[in-house]
Amino acid sequence: MIVEPDTFRLHLQVLREEFTILPLNEWVERKKNNLPLPSKACAITFDDGWLDNFEYAFPILEEASVPATLFAVSDMIGTCELFWPNRIARLLQQPANRLNSIPWLQKFSSNPFISPEVSAQVIYSLKDTPDHQLLQLIESAEQALGITPESSPSLMSWPQLKQLSDNELFDIGSHTSHHFRLGADLDSAVMQREIIESKKQLERELGKPVNLFCYPNGDYCDRTIEEVAKHYEAAVTTQPGINGSSSTDFFTLQRFGVHQDSSFNRRKLLAKLANWP
Ligand SMILES: [Zn+2]
């Protein structure tokens, strides 16, 4: 989800007026220990560890003294790697005659202009392909088309992540090692590694305990929850909603994803947070 800096400033203003903003780990701890909580508590989270979060969002949070949690993909921090949807979007920028040489991209090459909407459709159509298979397909297509790795990072470096982690307003959680989707079709050993190694790596680099987890793409199954619960205090999903009832499931916490076009004024943001379609 993407919002402009001024929209984000407006979000903070509205959230502060309507809610008490707490760090997610404090909310979890209070809720688990039956300690008092504000009647309307709200926590702010960011996924992936994008560099623009460091450049734009976190200075705005710091200026407003608002806490937030960032879920980082440990093996991608400090690299120039891209997530697979971004790599597909980059492949689709190639001219049609070049895309034609790649069998699984042929059906898209007839389109003379691939708009962001078409790109989104292509990415959506590949969502059922397992990550390892998808990454192989992308890698061989990139090789065949001579696409070289990115030379500038889209994600934060370790010193940048450490700088955020050292600020008492901010907390870092795990979003796996490689952003693999942790659904029922993922091999157990790989799933375990993604959940455990990311925690270890983040704790080693940041020198702090990492207690919160975020499921890539919001995908999980019973096995995922079981494994995450062994190593973390709580986990967030992409399921929109409010975690208000007394029977909160700490490993399937709901969130609202906000995007510029559905949150650029006060009314739109509040409608979004009320789960208005
Ligand atoms: Zn993510």
Side-chain angles (χ1 to χ4, degrees), residues 142-201:
E142 285 173 348
Q143 255 172 30
L145 295 173
I147 295 176
T148 51
E150 293 291 307
S151 55
S152 58
S154 302
L155 297 172
M156 291 178 203
S157 66
W158 280 109
Q160 287 166 331
L161 195 68
K162 174 94 168 87
Q163 191 183 320
L164 296 184
S165 171
D166 286 347
N167 186 325
E168 59 182 18
L169 275 177
F170 308 132
D171 181 38
I172 311 299
S174 163
H175 194 30
T176 71
S177 300
H178 300 95
H179 209 264
F180 289 165
R181 290 164 293 173
L182 309 180
D185 54 1
L186 186 66
D187 175 76
S188 285
V190 176
M191 186 183 284
Q192 235 179 4
R193 261 204 317 273
E194 289 292 310
I195 295 166
I196 300 171
E197 293 305 317
S198 57
K199 179 182 165 86
K200 282 190 192 162
Q201 191 178 2

Side-chain angles (χ1 to χ4, degrees), residues 1 10 21 23 62 70 81 99 149 184 187 203 215 219 223 246 248 259 268:
M1 307 283 160
L10 171 79
I21 307 178
E62 196 176 4
L70 186 152
E81 279 179 48
L99 288 184
D187 175 76
E203 289 182 340
Y215 305 105
D219 289 358
R223 267 191 301 134
S246 52
T248 305
H259 194 61
K268 278 188 174 279

